[in-house]
Short mmCIF file of all heavy atoms in Angstrom, two decimals:
data_model
loop_
_atom_site.label_atom_id
_atom_site.label_comp_id
_atom_site.label_asym_id
_atom_site.label_seq_id
_atom_site.Cartn_x
_atom_site.Cartn_y
_atom_site.Cartn_z
N PRO A 77 -69.89 -23.94 14.57
CA PRO A 77 -69.31 -23.79 13.23
C PRO A 77 -67.79 -23.74 13.31
O PRO A 77 -67.23 -23.27 14.31
CB PRO A 77 -69.89 -22.46 12.74
CG PRO A 77 -71.08 -22.19 13.61
CD PRO A 77 -70.77 -22.82 14.93
N VAL A 78 -67.13 -24.21 12.28
CA VAL A 78 -65.66 -24.16 12.19
C VAL A 78 -65.30 -23.22 11.05
O VAL A 78 -65.65 -23.47 9.89
CB VAL A 78 -65.07 -25.56 11.95
CG1 VAL A 78 -63.54 -25.48 11.83
CG2 VAL A 78 -65.47 -26.52 13.07
N LYS A 79 -64.63 -22.12 11.40
CA LYS A 79 -64.26 -21.10 10.42
C LYS A 79 -62.89 -20.54 10.80
O LYS A 79 -62.40 -20.76 11.90
CB LYS A 79 -65.27 -19.94 10.40
CG LYS A 79 -66.71 -20.32 10.15
CD LYS A 79 -67.57 -19.06 10.17
CE LYS A 79 -69.05 -19.36 10.06
NZ LYS A 79 -69.87 -18.11 10.09
N GLY A 80 -62.32 -19.76 9.88
CA GLY A 80 -61.09 -19.06 10.20
C GLY A 80 -61.38 -17.82 11.04
O GLY A 80 -62.53 -17.36 11.12
N ARG A 81 -60.35 -17.30 11.68
CA ARG A 81 -60.51 -16.06 12.44
C ARG A 81 -60.82 -14.90 11.51
O ARG A 81 -60.17 -14.73 10.48
CB ARG A 81 -59.23 -15.73 13.22
CG ARG A 81 -59.05 -16.48 14.51
CD ARG A 81 -58.12 -15.70 15.43
NE ARG A 81 -57.66 -16.47 16.56
CZ ARG A 81 -57.10 -15.94 17.64
NH1 ARG A 81 -56.94 -14.63 17.72
NH2 ARG A 81 -56.70 -16.70 18.64
N ASP A 204 -56.23 -18.88 22.00
CA ASP A 204 -57.28 -19.89 22.06
C ASP A 204 -56.70 -21.20 22.58
O ASP A 204 -55.52 -21.28 22.93
CB ASP A 204 -57.98 -20.06 20.71
CG ASP A 204 -57.04 -20.58 19.62
OD1 ASP A 204 -55.96 -21.12 19.94
OD2 ASP A 204 -57.38 -20.44 18.43
N ALA A 206 -55.85 -23.79 21.10
CA ALA A 206 -54.82 -24.38 20.26
C ALA A 206 -53.44 -23.82 20.59
O ALA A 206 -52.42 -24.45 20.27
CB ALA A 206 -55.13 -24.15 18.79
N TRP A 233 -67.93 -19.12 16.79
CA TRP A 233 -67.39 -20.29 16.13
C TRP A 233 -65.99 -20.62 16.66
O TRP A 233 -65.43 -19.89 17.47
CB TRP A 233 -67.38 -20.10 14.62
CG TRP A 233 -66.45 -19.05 14.07
CD1 TRP A 233 -65.08 -19.16 13.92
CD2 TRP A 233 -66.80 -17.77 13.53
NE1 TRP A 233 -64.57 -18.01 13.35
CE2 TRP A 233 -65.61 -17.15 13.09
CE3 TRP A 233 -68.01 -17.10 13.37
CZ2 TRP A 233 -65.58 -15.89 12.50
CZ3 TRP A 233 -67.99 -15.83 12.80
CH2 TRP A 233 -66.80 -15.23 12.37
N VAL A 234 -65.47 -21.76 16.20
CA VAL A 234 -64.10 -22.16 16.53
C VAL A 234 -63.30 -22.27 15.24
O VAL A 234 -63.86 -22.55 14.17
CB VAL A 234 -64.06 -23.52 17.27
CG1 VAL A 234 -64.59 -23.39 18.69
CG2 VAL A 234 -64.83 -24.59 16.52
N THR A 235 -61.99 -22.03 15.33
CA THR A 235 -61.13 -22.31 14.20
C THR A 235 -60.84 -23.81 14.17
O THR A 235 -61.05 -24.51 15.16
CB THR A 235 -59.81 -21.54 14.29
OG1 THR A 235 -59.07 -22.02 15.44
CG2 THR A 235 -60.06 -20.04 14.44
N GLN A 236 -60.34 -24.31 13.05
CA GLN A 236 -60.04 -25.74 12.97
C GLN A 236 -58.99 -26.17 14.01
O GLN A 236 -59.19 -27.19 14.69
CB GLN A 236 -59.57 -26.11 11.56
CG GLN A 236 -59.48 -27.62 11.34
CD GLN A 236 -60.84 -28.30 11.39
OE1 GLN A 236 -61.72 -27.97 10.61
NE2 GLN A 236 -61.02 -29.25 12.30
N PRO A 237 -57.87 -25.41 14.17
CA PRO A 237 -56.91 -25.82 15.21
C PRO A 237 -57.51 -25.80 16.61
O PRO A 237 -57.22 -26.67 17.43
CB PRO A 237 -55.78 -24.80 15.06
CG PRO A 237 -55.88 -24.32 13.65
CD PRO A 237 -57.34 -24.31 13.35
N GLU A 238 -58.36 -24.79 16.89
CA GLU A 238 -59.00 -24.73 18.20
C GLU A 238 -59.94 -25.91 18.40
O GLU A 238 -59.95 -26.55 19.46
CB GLU A 238 -59.77 -23.41 18.33
CG GLU A 238 -60.42 -23.22 19.68
CD GLU A 238 -61.22 -21.92 19.77
OE1 GLU A 238 -61.57 -21.35 18.71
OE2 GLU A 238 -61.51 -21.50 20.90
N HIS A 239 -60.74 -26.21 17.38
CA HIS A 239 -61.65 -27.36 17.44
C HIS A 239 -60.88 -28.64 17.74
O HIS A 239 -61.25 -29.43 18.61
CB HIS A 239 -62.39 -27.48 16.11
CG HIS A 239 -63.21 -28.73 15.98
ND1 HIS A 239 -62.65 -29.96 15.64
CD2 HIS A 239 -64.54 -28.97 16.14
CE1 HIS A 239 -63.59 -30.88 15.61
NE2 HIS A 239 -64.75 -30.31 15.90
N ASP A 240 -59.79 -28.85 17.01
CA ASP A 240 -59.03 -30.09 17.16
C ASP A 240 -58.38 -30.18 18.54
O ASP A 240 -58.32 -31.27 19.12
CB ASP A 240 -57.97 -30.19 16.07
CG ASP A 240 -58.58 -30.32 14.67
OD1 ASP A 240 -59.81 -30.58 14.58
OD2 ASP A 240 -57.84 -30.15 13.68
N ALA A 241 -57.91 -29.05 19.05
CA ALA A 241 -57.29 -29.04 20.38
C ALA A 241 -58.32 -29.39 21.45
O ALA A 241 -58.07 -30.20 22.35
CB ALA A 241 -56.65 -27.69 20.66
N ILE A 242 -59.51 -28.77 21.38
CA ILE A 242 -60.57 -29.05 22.35
C ILE A 242 -61.01 -30.50 22.24
O ILE A 242 -61.21 -31.18 23.25
CB ILE A 242 -61.74 -28.09 22.13
CG1 ILE A 242 -61.32 -26.65 22.48
CG2 ILE A 242 -62.94 -28.50 23.00
CD1 ILE A 242 -62.36 -25.60 22.16
N GLN A 243 -61.18 -30.99 21.01
CA GLN A 243 -61.59 -32.38 20.80
C GLN A 243 -60.59 -33.33 21.46
O GLN A 243 -60.97 -34.30 22.13
CB GLN A 243 -61.69 -32.69 19.32
CG GLN A 243 -62.04 -34.14 19.01
CD GLN A 243 -62.00 -34.43 17.52
OE1 GLN A 243 -62.05 -33.52 16.70
NE2 GLN A 243 -61.89 -35.69 17.18
#
Side-chain angles (χ1 to χ4, degrees):
V78 179
K79 304 180 185 180
R81 280 203 192 196
D204 63 18
W233 67 76
V234 289
T235 65
Q236 190 66 59
E238 182 182 19
H239 172 280
D240 294 347
I242 293 174
Q243 177 185 342

